[in-house]
Amino acid sequence: MKVIATVKNDYGSKFGVPRQASLSSKNESLIVFEKEYSVNEAVRGLEEFGRIWVIWEFSENKDKEWTPTVRPPKLGGNKRIGVFATRSPFRPNPIGLSCVELVGIEKSDGKIALRVKGADMIDGTPVYDIKPYIPYADSFPDSPSSFAVDGENESKKLDIIIDSAADTTALSKDKLEALIETLSFDPRPGYSDDENKIFAMTYAGCNVKFKVKDKTLVILKIEKE
């Protein structure tokens, strides 16, 4: 298969990326087509759809061995489930599938890019295909969903506090709001409950450090890399 586009966004590492697409609606990404596929005719009519499916590669995991069972963080990291019953990145073929909101189509410097919201991919992710999301064919809200039945609802979100030592000026207002939304969904593994452990993630060219106690996440530092 050929890489047709590349994701450009603020997620500099795997840790901190939303667990599922569309959880963090404030975060925008660009899907920039390669020159060969930056053809106006290829995206004609796409603007009439509100969402798209993105087929992409777990590029950080493509050289790692797959295993027939995995331990989903949502189940505490102790229970093993078949890899095909999960969305684990450690698969025989490192392929991801995400449904994201299409904000618009941009054209500049001879390339076409799709601006989207809710991508669960890191900066630099290779994309293999784009398909329109069709509600009547793609949505089955009554379908059983095993351990994922609870979703990531509002009641599970963390409260966010920003420590006075964190340099909030390192991020624009919009990016700070997007970071707060991302962190509110608790990026830690489901089995991690050490209140003293400090976690770090890369976001919008900044190192972000935080810790969690009960239902509150405290942003300790925001500093430029």
Side-chain angles (χ1 to χ4, degrees):
M1 295 194 296
K2 295 182 179 180
V3 173
I4 66 166
T6 302
V7 174
K8 301 294 182 183
N9 63 22
D10 291 320
Y11 294 114
S13 60
K14 290 190 295 181
F15 181 71
V17 175
R19 292 188 182 90
Q20 301 292 340
S22 298
L23 280 184
S24 183
S25 60
K26 293 183 182 296
N27 277 288
E28 291 193 354
S29 300
L30 281 177
I31 299 175
V32 183
F33 285 97
E34 297 296 319
K35 185 176 181 180
E36 179 182 356
Y37 306 104
S38 288
V39 180
N40 289 328
E41 288 81 358
V43 295
R44 182 186 298 164
L46 189 61
E47 72 280 356
E48 298 176 13
F49 291 88
R51 290 184 172 274
I52 56 173
W53 289 106
V54 183
I55 301 171
W56 49 281
E57 179 184 47
F58 288 107
S59 53
E60 298 290 295
N61 295 340
K62 64 181 180 181
D63 296 324
K64 297 181 180 179
E65 294 291 330
W66 78 284
T67 58
T69 62
V70 296
R71 296 181 293 180
K74 193 174 181 65
L75 295 179
N78 296 315
K79 183 177 179 180
R80 284 195 169 273
I81 290 183
V83 65
F84 299 127
T86 75
R87 295 188 176 186
S88 167
F90 300 100
R91 321 185 70 79
N93 293 305
I95 296 173
L97 176 68
S98 300
C99 183
V100 298
E101 179 184 352
L102 178 62
V103 178
I105 302 175
E106 301 179 3
K107 303 172 185 179
S108 64
D109 299 326
K111 286 194 173 183
I112 296 175
L114 308 181
R115 185 169 293 276
V116 302
K117 286 184 177 180
D120 54 344
M121 308 161 230
I122 67 171
D123 183 59
T125 294
V127 173
Y128 288 118
D129 202 6
I130 302 290
K131 299 179 187 292
Y133 170 84
I134 303 173
Y136 83 85
D138 297 346
S139 177
F140 302 92
D142 297 327
S143 181
S145 53
S146 184
F147 64 90
V149 67
D150 291 334
E152 301 285 349
N153 57 48
E154 291 291 324
S155 65
K156 293 186 175 182
K157 292 176 71 174
L158 299 176
D159 295 322
I160 306 295
I161 294 176
I162 302 178
D163 189 274
S164 58
D167 180 14
T168 57
T169 64
L171 294 171
S172 67
K173 180 181 177 182
D174 289 345
K175 290 189 183 299
L176 181 60
E177 290 178 353
L179 171 65
I180 289 173
E181 182 186 46
T182 295
L183 292 175
S184 71
F185 286 104
D186 196 353
R188 301 174 303 160
Y191 49 82
S192 179
D193 58 2
D194 185 348
E195 297 178 352
N196 297 312
K197 184 173 182 178
I198 296 176
F199 295 86
M201 64 178 284
T202 303
Y203 182 81
C206 290
N207 291 316
V208 179
K209 294 184 179 180
F210 65 90
K211 64 180 180 180
V212 181
K213 181 177 180 179
D214 298 326
K215 290 279 291 179
T216 301
L217 183 149
V218 181
I219 299 177
L220 302 171
K221 284 187 177 182
I222 302 175
E223 52 189 8
K224 286 289 186 181
E225 292 183 296

